Amino acid sequence: MDSGAFTQRVTFEKLTQDYDEIGNPVEEWKPFKRAYAYMNGLSGKEYWEAAVLNAENTVDFVCRWKKFFDSMDTRNYRIIWKGKKFNIKTIDNVQFRNDIVKIRAVCSDE
């Protein structure tokens, strides 16, 4: 893997449970970790399959594997890239080699 390919800085946010000043439970997204990644848009068959589900704004983020990826899930984490929010759909530790991680995410900004 070419180390020069990972040029885009992304932030992973975690959904936290907290309480406001009067004790009501609130959910809040807080920065969790930062990493460098490169992105691939969908093309060909993948794009058209996503279009059927109205998910054509899907992007694959590819990062070097770090230990924290093993504890991440798709419901409590999201990606911020260039001010846009991406909801994570899948996290793939490619071939379980702990080398690269491929994260498929959908832009949630309208």
Side-chain angles (χ1 to χ4, degrees):
M1 181 61 51
D2 177 23
S3 62
F6 301 96
T7 60
Q8 301 296 313
R9 184 89 164 167
V10 296
T11 301
F12 295 94
E13 288 188 333
K14 183 176 184 177
L15 184 62
T16 60
Q17 311 293 325
D18 210 350
Y19 296 94
D20 65 11
E21 58 278 349
I22 59 172
N24 295 321
V26 293
E27 292 182 335
E28 183 179 16
W29 289 100
K30 293 187 177 179
F32 175 65
K33 298 282 185 182
R34 294 182 112 167
Y36 284 96
Y38 73 86
M39 280 68 85
N40 284 327
L42 300 183
S43 62
K45 182 180 176 186
E46 285 183 326
Y47 175 82
W48 293 110
E49 287 174 354
V52 169
L53 302 172
N54 292 326
E56 58 269 13
N57 53 354
T58 300
V59 176
D60 286 336
F61 291 86
V62 180
C63 303
R64 286 187 178 152
W65 179 86
K66 306 263 191 225
K67 189 159 181 68
F68 71 84
F69 284 117
D70 290 342
S71 65
M72 286 177 56
D73 61 55
T74 59
R75 298 183 74 201
N76 295 305
Y77 294 88
R78 71 180 181 187
I79 297 172
I80 305 296
W81 175 63
K82 292 190 175 182
K84 293 184 179 180
K85 300 173 182 93
F86 291 83
N87 295 324
I88 297 172
K89 297 300 176 189
T90 61
I91 303 170
D92 179 17
N93 180 354
V94 178
Q95 297 179 339
F96 298 102
R97 292 184 177 199
N98 295 343
D99 185 27
I100 61 171
V101 175
K102 185 175 176 182
I103 301 170
R104 182 157 289 174
V106 177
C107 184
S108 63
D109 291 341
E110 299 297 317

